[in-house]
């Protein structure tokens, strides 16, 4: 399925990203409407803290905008990342010590 977007020189599509980066972006897109996944789901899915996860997503959408070609979705992901980096867990639960980096 194509959305008519063609990456310009220097931009990368999902085909150029490592599988783990694509998996992280897909996960982040699914959870974005809910403010992002909680720390436990992120740790269970990727073995990293939620802070590290949102920093990676932020970097991916900044350095590889073609990986999320829809600007509205990219903006939503950027907003979720910014919010979650300022407010780590929307459930209000403290992250278990193993999740903190």
């Amino acid at each position: 399925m194509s959305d008519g977007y063609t990456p310009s020189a220097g931009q990368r599509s999902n085909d150029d990203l490592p599988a783990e980066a694509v998996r992280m972006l897909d996960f982040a897109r699914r959870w974005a409407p809910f403010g992002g996944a909680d720390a436990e789901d992120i740790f269970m899915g990727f073995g990293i803290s939620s802070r590290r996860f949102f920093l990676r997503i932020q970097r991916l959408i900044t350095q590889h905008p073609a990986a999320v070609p829809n600007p509205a979705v990219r903006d939503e992901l950027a907003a979720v990342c910014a919010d979650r980096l300022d407010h780590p867990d929307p459930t209000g639960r403290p992250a278990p010590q193993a999740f903190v980096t």
Side-chain angles (χ1 to χ4, degrees):
M1 177 171 71
S2 174
D3 61 4
Y5 181 84
T6 305
S8 61
Q11 293 181 327
R12 298 172 70 174
S13 69
N14 277 355
D15 295 338
D16 298 329
L17 292 175
E20 185 70 355
V22 172
R23 195 167 76 82
M24 290 176 89
L25 285 167
D26 288 342
F27 182 86
R29 275 192 287 256
R30 281 195 311 276
W31 280 98
F34 309 104
D38 67 21
E40 186 176 355
D41 288 327
I42 292 167
F43 185 78
M44 295 300 293
F46 300 97
I48 60 175
S49 70
S50 59
R51 177 169 178 73
R52 184 168 288 170
F53 176 82
F54 288 108
L55 285 169
R56 285 185 185 176
I57 296 301
Q58 199 173 50
R59 185 178 68 233
L60 283 167
I61 62 176
T62 300
Q63 294 178 353
H64 309 288
V68 183
N70 182 323
V73 174
R74 200 168 46 247
D75 290 347
E76 181 181 31
L77 286 173
V80 168
C81 289
D83 184 59
R84 290 298 299 279
L85 289 168
D86 286 342
H87 307 97
D89 191 351
T91 65
R93 296 185 317 232
Q97 195 60 32
F99 296 175
V100 179
T101 59

